[in-house]
Amino acid sequence: MAEPHTRLALTKYLARYCRGVGPVIAGFLFDAFGQQAEQVLRNDPERAVAEVNKIAKRNVLAIEAADEASQTLKSMANESETLI
């Protein structure tokens, strides 16, 4: 079984590979979903947007950016464990 990803590793991965998701938004995603942040953004971008914007108390993540990030993460699904 794989080791759990650290906050730093997961936020760096999301910020690097998901256009529109910088370090701050990646941190919000981790705060909202913990180890599942990448999976939620990949599979349920609308939920990711709602939670991030609730935590940020303003609209910092647009649905368009989350949808694009979702598509990127889906295309990289086989490599994500290695890249994180």
Side-chain angles (χ1 to χ4, degrees), residues 21 32 38 41 44 67 81:
V21 176
E38 188 259 347
L41 183 56
D44 196 353
D67 283 340
E81 289 298 314

Side-chain angles (χ1 to χ4, degrees), residues 8-83:
L8 179 61
L10 193 53
T11 56
K12 280 183 150 185
Y13 169 77
L14 293 174
R16 180 173 182 186
Y17 293 105
C18 298
R19 200 164 99 196
V21 176
V24 172
I25 292 175
F28 287 142
L29 285 162
F30 192 89
D31 292 344
F33 304 110
Q35 298 292 319
Q36 305 305 311
E38 188 259 347
Q39 290 91 348
V40 171
L41 183 56
R42 181 179 62 224
N43 298 319
D44 196 353
E46 294 86 9
R47 181 175 168 215
V49 168
E51 288 300 315
V52 165
N53 290 342
K54 185 168 73 175
I55 290 171
K57 298 183 179 159
R58 57 191 166 96
N59 293 335
V60 296
L61 180 58
I63 191 62
E64 296 83 10
D67 283 340
E68 184 177 342
S70 173
Q71 294 305 313
T72 299
L73 293 172
K74 285 176 183 175
S75 72
M76 299 172 60
N78 292 335
E79 304 160 337
S80 66
E81 289 298 314
T82 302
L83 294 171

